[in-house]
Amino acid sequence: MSERLLLTGNHAAAYGAMLARAEVISAYPITPQTMIVELLSELTASGRLAAKFITVESEHSAMAACVGASAAGARAYTATSGQGLALMHEMLHWAVGARLPIVLTNVSRAMAPGWSIWSDQTDIISQRDVGWMMLFAESVQEAQDFIIWMYRVAEQVFLPGMVAMDAFILSHTAEPIIVHDQDAVDAYLPGFEPLYDLDPTQPRAYGGLVNRDHYFELRYKIFESMERAGRLLIEAGDEFAEILGRRYSPVEGYMLDDAEIVIVSAGAMTSNVRQADKDLRDRGMKAGLMRLVAFRPFPVAEVRRLLAGRRKVAVLDRNMSPGHSGVFAQEIRSALAGQSGAPPVYGYVVGLGGRDVRVETVTEVVDDLMARDVPELALFVDVKGLPIGPVRPDSTINRLGPLEVAR
Amino acid sequence: MRWAVPEAEFMDPGTLGCQGCGGTLSMRLVLKELGDDAIAVLPACCWSIIDGPWPVHALNIPVFHTAFETAAVVATGIKAAKQIKGKDTTVVAWAGDGGTFDIGLQALSGAAERNEDIVFICYDNEAYMNTGIQRSSATPLGTWTTTTPDERPEPRPKKDIMGIMAAHRIPYAATATVAYPDDLSRKVRTALAAKGGMRFLHLLSACPPGWKMAADDAIEAMRRAVQTNVFPLYEVRDGREYKITHWPEAEVDVADYFSLQGRFAPLLADDALLNLVRNNVRERWWFLVERHQQSLRKASSPDGAHLH
Ligand SMILES: Cc1ncc(C[n+]2csc(CCOP(=O)(O)OP(=O)(O)O)c2C)c(N)n1
Ligand SMILES: [Mg+2]
């Protein structure tokens, strides 16, 4: 029986791992992900989830333990955030090269220094090129469901996948969600059938020395599998609707049909974009939303189809690549480059380190978009004392002087 | 001395090991005792190469290659998966001194502290040989390496990895070397018998190119390391119960060991340093003898039962 429960994003992720019947879990605590680790410890200790929980001494080891477990044929899960994801980096590559369908929840948070535990996509975006699939949840429901959806695809293409949920905005916010019926999830996601599982009767070597005659082809196959994952995400998203009652897809449109202005967004702030779209429509503007659900594989074809012929596109990036622009904006631009009817793309950097991206923030962005003629790469929104705009090249960083005591 | 080497062979000829490689000889002997229901985890080290390039490899058990610092925890993950599948496969992490004493120490300490059901074997050639003989924290005082040149040889004594492992109170830790094959084999069997928790074997392993000596001196060098008490053979149970497993018949001076190898040239050229090392070796030996005797006394005393 499915149940309707009031859960935080973190607890929903733990339920997602439980429903997916993860067999080996290895994780290390970090705010704001800790509740995932705690609940999974309880679920495994009580026997509700028949899994081994390895309380490793670091995130590097958490991913390494998942690598070992997955290589030996178990369904492996971990969760982390910010610094932890960065520490895993080397082993994230290992999971890809070894073709291990591990699933990870990343509660996306800002990178230090200064220490900040608040929402920011820079941690996950920094892992863009390792070869993990990446999904961005917008709701607590999705924080649970995307784990299941991800395993379904990961185990067909033998690539790992991560699900991002926003720090606090999702991780610590309780929403009523449907916790699916276990039998239904089992029907959607049968047990993991590895190609290899370190069977001593088949004494193979895995991941050893490979010379220049072969390495390139191994990478080629990773690329090929990622392409396949794009199609499978759509298929598996449709099957999710048939079996578990909710349809998921790599890209989602909202009020797009006649939209002249499109706002592109990912993650939890997308909900505020939806509201802003309604407000803008009330003001008579034809505004719509394109939500990126999948970031890897990047849904190039859908993005081209949905954005062709629009008047202007504003991309909201809760991340930035210093020296260029927000990363979603870069990717949208590159997908559209050379396409007929490609709209101008304006990049907006918003909400770094958990600064609120409110409904009004979005409408201000659209007001700026309407007033602006040149599609700037990176327009900063809500920087104290500055109107929306590109960085001012003449601004200087001053050394901190002694505190001036106000008289 | 009579002792039967198991005939089963789990290592094919034609490995990429150098002539006289102690790490390769050790692997061959250890595998004979491990048997066929085993998996080896290899972090970055000479053994990443020795097993051979794809599509061939020398070991007749599955080999999982992993990142330099992760041998202990990848072995842990594999063991967890095997356990969940109801399999009792032995999982062995096989790492160099770098992957054990240095970059691998964090994951090793984590696995030891959690008492993971794995066997961790360090083949210690006392430097980073894969990358061309750079110092590690296992490099002994006064040694030449490419990062501790003759003008500025290794300034610090070798890290006491056995002390560190004993401090984790793991069920079994032992030193061994393939120059004493019966002792090594017995320790592998003891480690297997102690399953259920973490087992650690520290194998001194000659590296002729890195130690600057002839390949056919490899066994002799490892033997002299034991005879001179530079590398005593002993085992520690539960981090407390020490037992010396080989007692040198006569006192052999440390210089007998050092003089066989070009890497000790800076040490042999510096009498004060050599004396310091000689004293360190004696002190360490007497520390072990004391611990050995203390363990014997405890075992025979009425409250010996509480030792564990
Ligand atoms: C993270 C990382 N840093 C550095 C290296 C390069 N590297 C590969 S093997 C090695 C030295 C290995 O030394 P040791 O563990 O003593 O094994 P040996 O080569 O002596 O057998 C180094 C530095 C690496 N592979 N990974
Ligand atoms: Mg070494």
Side-chain angles (χ1 to χ4, degrees), chain A residues 23 52 55-58 60-61 64-65 68-69 71-73 90-91 94 197-200 203-209 214, chain B residues 36-37 39 49 53-54 57 60-67 69-70 73-74 77-78 80-85 89 106-107 114:
Chain A
E23 294 168 298
K52 283 242 159 207
T55 52
V56 280
E57 82 303 327
S58 74
H60 196 283
S61 283
E90 184 192 28
M91 298 317 289
W94 213 279
D197 64 354
L198 305 181
D199 175 1
R204 295 188 173 89
Y206 303 81
L209 207 57
H214 303 295
Chain B
D36 59 6
D37 192 16
I39 296 169
I49 314 295
W54 189 87
H57 88 113
N60 290 319
I61 60 172
V63 169
F64 189 80
H65 290 271
T66 188
E69 60 282 37
T70 60
V73 67
V74 167
I78 291 172
K82 288 292 172 191
Q83 282 174 340
I84 221 116
K85 306 278 180 194
T89 307
Q106 176 176 320
R114 296 189 307 272

Side-chain angles (χ1 to χ4, degrees), chain B residues 19-243:
Chain B
Q19 283 190 352
C21 169
T24 306
L25 296 168
S26 307
M27 176 69 94
R28 179 171 173 219
L29 194 57
V30 166
L31 288 181
K32 283 171 172 286
E33 297 295 345
L34 281 184
D36 59 6
D37 192 16
I39 296 169
V41 177
L42 300 183
C45 60
C46 281
W47 255 102
S48 325
I49 314 295
I50 298 171
D51 194 40
W54 189 87
V56 296
H57 88 113
L59 304 192
N60 290 319
I61 60 172
V63 169
F64 189 80
H65 290 271
T66 188
F68 198 5
E69 60 282 37
T70 60
V73 67
V74 167
T76 298
I78 291 172
K79 185 68 189 183
K82 288 292 172 191
Q83 282 174 340
I84 221 116
K85 306 278 180 194
K87 303 238 169 72
D88 196 27
T89 307
T90 304
V91 185
V92 179
W94 179 276
D97 44 295
T100 304
F101 290 60
D102 291 339
I103 201 167
L105 186 60
Q106 176 176 320
L108 172 59
S109 172
E113 170 276 321
R114 296 189 307 272
N115 200 25
E116 298 291 353
D117 188 4
I118 59 170
V119 183
F120 191 106
I121 303 182
C122 171
Y123 73 101
D124 177 7
N125 48 28
E126 304 194 317
Y128 302 155
M129 299 311 185
N130 171 301
T131 40
I133 325 172
Q134 294 84 27
R135 80 170 289 271
S136 75
S137 62
T139 303
L141 180 60
T143 310
W144 165 93
T145 69
T146 57
T147 50
T148 49
D150 284 346
E151 303 75 31
R152 187 173 36 83
E154 172 56 40
R156 297 284 300 157
K158 186 181 175 85
K159 190 187 275 183
D160 178 11
I161 195 70
M162 283 292 285
I164 291 170
M165 295 315 292
H168 286 77
R169 303 267 166 111
I170 58 173
Y172 187 70
T175 63
T177 164
V178 72
Y180 292 83
D182 51 337
D183 179 78
L184 170 54
S185 295
R186 188 189 61 74
K187 284 170 178 166
V188 177
R189 290 195 298 275
T190 310
L192 289 179
K195 79 175 181 196
M198 177 87 176
R199 287 122 319 141
F200 179 80
L201 297 182
H202 179 198
L203 313 184
L204 183 72
S205 303
C207 168
W211 290 11
K212 289 189 173 176
M213 63 178 189
D216 58 3
D217 272 339
I219 296 287
E220 183 60 21
M222 291 184 279
R223 185 179 297 132
R224 286 195 200 175
V226 174
Q227 287 169 340
T228 55
N229 288 336
V230 169
F231 190 81
L233 300 182
Y234 63 103
E235 57 195 9
V236 188
R237 286 171 194 272
D238 301 311
R240 276 166 281 189
E241 202 183 311
Y242 280 64
K243 185 178 174 196

Side-chain angles (χ1 to χ4, degrees), chain B residues 250-267:
Chain B
E251 196 170 325
V252 184
D253 187 62
V254 289
D256 275 26
Y257 169 60
F258 299 139
S259 59
L260 214 53
Q261 305 165 48
R263 64 171 173 151
F264 291 121
L267 181 59

Side-chain angles (χ1 to χ4, degrees), chain B residues 228-230 232 251-254 274-290:
Chain B
T228 55
N229 288 336
V230 169
E251 196 170 325
V252 184
D253 187 62
V254 289
L274 183 60
N275 259 326
L276 180 63
V277 168
R278 191 177 276 127
N279 283 334
N280 286 350
V281 166
R282 277 203 193 113
E283 202 180 296
R284 173 86 194 139
W285 172 251
W286 284 111
F287 167 83
L288 287 174
V289 170
E290 262 172 38

Side-chain angles (χ1 to χ4, degrees), chain A residues 260-326:
Chain A
E260 293 171 357
I261 304 297
V262 178
I263 303 161
V264 179
S265 166
M269 67 182 172
T270 308
S271 302
N272 283 352
V273 179
R274 286 176 206 276
Q275 183 57 46
D277 271 342
K278 285 187 204 156
D279 295 354
L280 291 164
R281 292 257 167 188
D282 289 346
R283 279 163 46 183
M285 286 178 68
K286 289 186 172 169
L289 156 73
M290 188 187 82
R291 173 186 168 210
L292 282 174
V293 177
F295 178 61
R296 281 292 177 276
F298 194 76
V300 177
E302 292 93 323
V303 166
R304 285 180 181 161
R305 191 170 53 77
L306 292 176
L307 295 185
R310 312 291 176 179
R311 213 172 111 212
K312 282 182 172 181
V313 172
V315 182
L316 303 185
D317 270 295
R318 199 170 208 146
N319 67 79
M320 60 166 192
S321 175
H324 197 284
S325 71

Side-chain angles (χ1 to χ4, degrees), chain A residues 20-24 66-77 98-103 151-159 186 188-197, chain B residues 81 84-85:
Chain A
R21 295 193 191 275
E23 294 168 298
V24 174
C66 286
V67 161
S70 184
R75 188 172 280 164
Y77 174 81
R99 305 303 301 265
L100 303 172
I102 299 161
V103 171
Y151 273 119
R152 177 92 175 94
V153 177
E155 291 175 2
Q156 292 178 76
V157 294
F158 292 94
L159 284 177
D186 291 348
Y188 177 77
L189 181 68
F192 173 36
E193 283 181 25
L195 289 175
Y196 306 101
D197 64 354
Chain B
I84 221 116
K85 306 278 180 194

